[in-house]
Amino acid sequence: MSDSTIQHHEESRDVTFRVHRFNPQVDSKPYFDDYTIRLEKGITVLRAINYIKEHVDSSLTFRAFCQAGICGSCAMRINGMSKLACTTQVWDELDKAREPGVIKVEPLRNLPHIKDLVVEMDPLVGKMQKYSNWVDSKMPEEQWGKKEFLVSEEEFLAYDKATDCILCASCVSECTILRAHKEYVSPAVLLKSYRMNVDSRDSIHDQRLAGLVQDHGVWDCTHCYRCQETCVKNIPIMDAIHGIREDAIERRGTKDTSGARHAEAFMEDIEKKGKLVEATLPIRTNGLAWTLKNLLPMAFKMVMKRRTPPPPPLVKASKGIDALRKEFKEMTSHVGKDHEKKSGE
Amino acid sequence: MKRYAYYQSCINESMTKEVDRSIELWQHDLGIEMVKMHESACCGGSNLDYVSPKHFALVNGRNIATAEKQGLDLVVSCNTCLMTIRSAKKKLDESADLRNEINEILRKEGLEYRGTSQVRHLLWVLIDDVGLDVIRKKVKNPLSKLRIAPFYGCHILRPSTVLGKDNPLEPTSLDMLLDALGGKTIPYEHKNRCCGFHTLLVAEEESLNVAAEALQEAMEQKADCIVTPCPLCHTVLDGYQGKALKQNGIKGSIPVLHLSEVVGLALGYSDRQLGIKRHIVTV
C-alpha cells in the first residue's frame, strides 16, 4: 500500500502547512513558515488555516468570507494550483503532496502581492472597467421600471455558465500570457466580456468588441487551456474566448487585426490545398515589413538546416482535394442559410 | 503488425520533417505500421473551430471518416492536431444533428462519420499498444547518460475533458516512456506548461517570454536536453530558442528532441538517420 493510500484512510493525523509569508513592512524577502497541526478527516484547507490563525500564529494573513465556495475571496495556490481554500479538502491535498504530509500554500500569481496570502485585486477590477464589463441598457432611462426585457431561453443558455464566475481570480493566477505580459486582458475579464456581449439587453456590444480586438486583447490568448482547467466553477472559459473571436470575425471581418488574419489563413488554405501554406503565413498575418524585420534574421539558419517551409507552389494539395473543395463549398452554403435564418428571427 | 491511419500534420510535412522520417525508421521494430493518410486535410490548428465551427466539424469529421473507412484508429504526432481532431470528434459524437449534417455532405464522397475510430497520440500508442515492457526489451542504446526535461505541451493534456489520458497537473506518460528507453527524467515544473507557439505570429514578445521561462528552468536544472511529443513546441523551443533567450537576457542553450527521435536513438539509429542534424540548436 502506498503512502498516499494510507493517508487517505486515516481519520486523523498531523499535517504540515508550508505557508508563504511576507510582510513588506518588516521582511526583505518572502519565506515559508511550517505549521504542523493535528487534523481530522473532512476538514478543508480554509478551516485548517483559520485554526492556525486562531491558535498558533495570529499574524498569518489571508482573505476569506463565505466558507462555501460562493464569494471567491479565499483563492490561493494549494500544492501549486490556484483554487478555493474553502472547497478544498485537506485529505485530497495530502494525496497530491510532493513531500508526504506537507501541503504548500501560496498566494495567487499574476497579481501584485500585498502580504502573506493576500494579493491586490485592483488590476483585475481595472481591466473589468477598461473593457466595460457591465450591461449598458438599451432601454431609454425613462422606461426603466415600467417595461420588461424578455430574454429567450436560448439566449440565457449562451451566457448561463459564464454567470457562474465568482471572480476568485484562480484563472488569472494560472494564465500563461498574463504571466508573460501584465497588460494582457486575462481570462476572467474575457469571460465577463463574452457574457455581456451575448446579452441582448446591452447596447455597447460593438464598442466593447472594438476594445477586445486591440493589443493585449482576445487575440493574444495562446489556447493553453490552463484557465479552463483551473476554474473552480468548471466554466468552459476557452469557449467564451473562442466565442468572442468568432463574433469578432463575423462582425468586423478578417482584415482588421493580425489575429483575425492569422485565423482566416487556415480557412483559406484548407479550402485551396487541404494543407496549411506555412511559408506565407507570417506575411499574411503581419505583412511583409514585419516578416522581414522579425523573421529574416532567423531565415539564414533555417535555410542552412533545410527547415524553411516550402514556397506555395511546392505545397502539394491533399489527395482528393477536388472532393474536399466541393464539400467545403456546400458547407459554406449551409452556413449562409444558418445566418439568414438567424437574422430573420 | 498493428496498423494505424497516420494523420499528416502540416508542420511535419514542412518544417519538422524529421518527425515522420524517424517514425518510418523504427515503426516495424516495434511491430506497428503508420499508414499515411494522404487524403487528410489540415485540422485547422485550433483556429478553424472559431472561424467556422461547421467547416471545422466537416474537415475533421472527414479526416476521422477516412480512417474509419480503413477500419483503423487515427494516430497523430502533433499535440494540437490531437486536441483539435478529438474536440471535433467529441462535438460530432454528442450531436446527432451535426453528424447528420456533415454526413449528408460526406456521403457524396463515399464517406460516413460513425465515431468508430479512436483519435490517439503516438505516445499513447507506444504505451498502451506496444507496451513499455516490449519497448524496454527492444532498447539497444539506452539513454542512460541523459538527464531529460520532459516537456508535454498543452494540447496532449488540456482540456482534460477532451484529452483525458494524463492528469494535467501531474502527467506521467512521457516520463514513463523515457524511463523505458533508459533515460533519467528530472523534476521539471514546466513539464505541463505552455511553449507559446500559438501566439508566435500575433504576440511574439509574449510567446518568447513563455518559451524562455521553460528553457531557463531546464538549463537551471542541468538537463542535457528537453524532449517533447509535439512538433509545435519543438519549433518554438528549438527554432526560436536563440531569440527567446536573447530577449530575456538568458545565456546558454539546450538541445530539444522530438519524442520520435529519442525512441529512434534508443533503438540504435544514428542522429543523422533520424534527422537530428536538421535542428537549429546543435545536439
Side-chain angles (χ1 to χ4, degrees):
Chain A
M1 196 184 273
S2 73
D3 237 20
S4 62
T5 330
I6 297 166
Q7 287 164 3
H8 204 74
H9 288 290
E10 277 175 346
E11 290 302 313
S12 77
R13 59 162 291 160
D14 285 340
V15 180
T16 299
F17 289 85
R18 185 158 294 160
V19 184
H20 181 108
R21 302 299 310 272
F22 179 62
N23 178 354
Q25 291 175 333
V26 186
D27 305 317
S28 58
K29 58 179 184 187
Y31 59 97
F32 284 93
D33 263 339
D34 278 6
Y35 302 101
T36 302
I37 51 175
R38 187 88 189 161
L39 292 177
E40 306 221 327
K41 188 178 175 182
I43 202 165
T44 62
V45 172
L46 180 59
R47 288 194 64 188
I49 56 172
N50 260 329
Y51 179 89
I52 293 167
K53 186 169 178 69
E54 280 171 26
H55 300 280
V56 187
D57 182 351
S58 62
S59 73
L60 180 62
T61 307
F62 53 92
R63 280 200 194 102
F65 184 64
C66 78
Q67 305 189 51
I70 295 166
C71 75
S73 312
C74 68
M76 51 189 74
R77 280 189 302 135
I78 301 167
N79 282 335
M81 197 65 188
S82 306
K83 51 178 79 169
L84 298 180
C86 70
T87 54
T88 302
Q89 286 287 321
V90 170
W91 256 239
D92 290 347
E93 287 304 317
L94 285 172
D95 285 350
K96 294 171 196 158
R98 295 235 168 117
E99 196 178 316
V102 179
I103 295 174
K104 209 170 178 184
V105 186
E106 297 163 280
L108 295 180
R109 278 179 171 156
N110 291 339
L111 289 163
H113 190 204
I114 297 178
K115 188 183 175 190
D116 294 348
L117 300 173
V118 179
V119 294
E120 177 69 78
M121 298 295 271
D122 285 359
L124 181 60
V125 176
K127 283 175 189 170
M128 289 289 181
Q129 285 171 338
K130 179 179 170 189
Y131 294 96
S132 311
N133 280 341
W134 51 81
V135 170
D136 197 307
S137 181
K138 264 181 185 166
M139 193 184 281
E141 206 172 331
E142 60 272 16
Q143 291 179 11
W144 290 6
K146 294 173 194 155
K147 215 176 147 190
E148 276 183 313
F149 273 113
L150 293 177
V151 174
S152 70
E153 189 180 355
E154 194 189 353
E155 183 193 330
F156 171 71
L157 289 174
Y159 54 72
D160 181 25
K161 281 185 183 157
T163 59
D164 287 348
C165 175
I166 55 173
L167 299 173
C168 71
S170 289
C171 62
V172 172
S173 169
E174 296 296 326
C175 175
T176 298
I177 294 296
L178 190 60
R179 190 170 163 85
H181 203 299
K182 66 177 179 2
E183 295 296 314
Y184 174 58
V185 51
S186 82
V189 178
L190 287 171
L191 179 71
K192 192 65 80 186
S193 293
Y194 166 80
R195 180 255 169 276
M196 298 305 162
N197 264 5
V198 290
D199 194 318
S200 64
R201 298 167 296 181
D202 175 67
S203 64
I204 54 168
H205 168 281
D206 293 355
Q207 175 198 324
R208 191 181 295 113
L209 191 60
L212 289 165
V213 299
Q214 302 300 314
D215 273 359
H216 309 302
V218 68
W219 292 110
D220 285 13
C221 163
T222 191
H223 326 176
C224 73
Y225 286 84
R226 290 180 68 87
C227 55
Q228 181 163 318
E229 211 60 56
T230 197
C231 178
V232 301
K233 294 288 174 189
N234 295 314
I235 302 167
I237 303 175
M238 274 307 302
D239 286 358
I241 297 175
H242 281 176
I244 297 173
R245 289 175 168 190
E246 196 182 333
D247 189 30
I249 287 175
E250 208 177 301
R251 309 277 186 122
R252 303 176 56 90
T254 54
K255 304 291 173 220
D256 68 336
T257 58
S258 58
R261 289 191 296 267
H262 182 66
E264 174 68 6
F266 283 80
M267 184 91 173
E268 272 171 20
D269 287 356
I270 295 170
E271 185 167 17
K272 209 182 266 177
K273 297 227 175 190
K275 296 272 164 207
L276 190 61
V277 182
E278 283 158 332
T280 56
L281 199 54
I283 298 173
R284 285 181 288 164
T285 304
N286 290 310
L288 187 61
W290 183 96
T291 305
L292 290 175
K293 181 172 163 260
N294 284 274
L295 298 181
L296 198 61
M298 291 164 62
F300 178 69
K301 250 189 184 172
M302 300 269 289
V303 172
M304 292 302 288
K305 298 274 188 170
R306 293 165 50 214
R307 248 185 140 63
T308 40
L314 296 185
V315 177
K316 215 173 131 194
S318 302
K319 197 177 157 192
I321 184 67
D322 292 339
L324 176 65
R325 278 185 200 145
K326 264 189 214 155
E327 290 161 5
F328 218 79
K329 270 208 181 85
E330 197 175 338
M331 188 52 99
T332 304
S333 79
H334 285 216
V335 173
K337 279 177 200 154
D338 290 348
H339 280 229
E340 277 171 31
K341 210 173 135 196
K342 210 168 137 191
S343 55
E345 273 169 10
Chain B
M1 195 73 63
K2 184 149 189 209
R3 298 168 80 237
Y4 302 88
Y6 184 63
Y7 178 77
Q8 307 276 99
S9 296
C10 298
I11 193 153
N12 288 341
E13 295 212 297
S14 60
M15 292 164 79
T16 51
K17 287 185 181 141
E18 63 275 11
V19 173
D20 289 355
R21 190 160 129 189
S22 43
I23 295 168
E24 275 168 38
L25 275 180
W26 52 252
Q27 56 179 345
H28 292 167
D29 299 348
L30 295 179
I32 54 175
E33 185 170 336
M34 297 292 157
V35 183
K36 283 190 174 175
M37 294 174 66
H38 296 291
E39 49 287 270
S40 61
C42 169
C43 67
S46 89
N47 286 291
L48 188 63
D49 39 352
Y50 54 79
V51 180
S52 174
K54 284 207 172 166
H55 287 92
F56 165 74
L58 172 75
V59 167
N60 289 304
R62 181 179 181 270
N63 285 333
I64 303 168
T66 308
E68 287 180 352
K69 198 174 180 183
Q70 301 173 66
L72 302 174
D73 277 353
L74 188 156
V75 171
V76 299
S77 53
C78 165
N79 286 6
T80 295
C81 297
L82 175 78
M83 187 277 283
T84 304
I85 303 174
R86 282 180 72 94
S87 295
K89 179 171 170 56
K90 190 165 186 282
K91 288 196 170 86
L92 288 165
D93 289 343
E94 287 171 356
S95 165
D97 286 349
L98 187 60
R99 218 161 47 230
N100 292 338
E101 186 172 356
I102 69 147
N103 277 336
E104 188 195 312
I105 298 174
L106 292 178
R107 204 164 290 129
K108 292 164 196 159
E109 201 191 346
L111 290 172
E112 185 190 1
Y113 175 86
R114 285 169 294 152
T116 49
S117 283
Q118 294 306 307
V119 178
R120 305 165 69 192
H121 195 285
L122 174 71
L123 171 63
W124 302 352
V125 169
L126 291 175
I127 291 175
D128 296 337
D129 292 9
V130 178
L132 295 172
D133 288 341
V134 170
I135 292 172
R136 232 174 244 120
K137 280 181 200 146
K138 299 270 182 186
V139 169
K140 289 181 187 158
N141 179 25
L143 310 171
S144 46
K145 286 184 190 149
L146 290 182
R147 282 170 58 80
I148 304 172
F151 190 89
Y152 285 76
C154 296
H155 295 160
I156 199 168
L157 304 174
R158 292 180 296 267
S160 56
T161 47
V162 170
L163 282 318
K165 166 85 178 158
D166 265 302
N167 173 357
L169 303 178
E170 211 52 72
T172 54
S173 57
L174 180 58
D175 290 72
M176 281 156 55
L177 181 73
L178 293 169
D179 175 69
L181 299 174
K184 181 178 166 37
T185 56
I186 58 158
Y188 184 43
E189 292 289 331
H190 278 80
K191 66 159 63 174
N192 65 352
R193 296 191 74 98
C194 179
C195 70
F197 178 87
H198 286 285
T199 28
L200 261 182
L201 295 179
V202 179
E204 194 193 52
E205 183 192 341
E206 285 85 338
S207 284
L208 297 179
N209 288 346
V210 172
E213 211 186 336
L215 293 162
Q216 185 177 26
E217 192 204 344
M219 292 193 289
E220 279 171 3
Q221 295 290 330
K222 307 242 178 316
D224 295 309
C225 64
I226 294 172
V227 171
T228 176
C230 179
L232 306 182
C233 298
H234 187 276
T235 298
V236 186
L237 298 176
D238 174 67
Y240 282 76
Q241 184 177 126
K243 202 173 183 184
L245 294 178
K246 194 175 167 198
Q247 178 176 296
N248 285 273
I250 301 164
K251 290 210 164 60
S253 73
I254 183 165
V256 187
L257 292 161
H258 296 284
L259 162 77
S260 56
E261 291 172 338
V262 286
V263 172
L265 286 173
L267 294 179
Y269 295 94
S270 70
D271 53 357
R272 191 169 288 278
Q273 281 174 300
L274 294 161
I276 295 175
K277 299 276 184 201
R278 297 183 75 245
H279 293 191
I280 297 294
V281 177
T282 311
V283 179

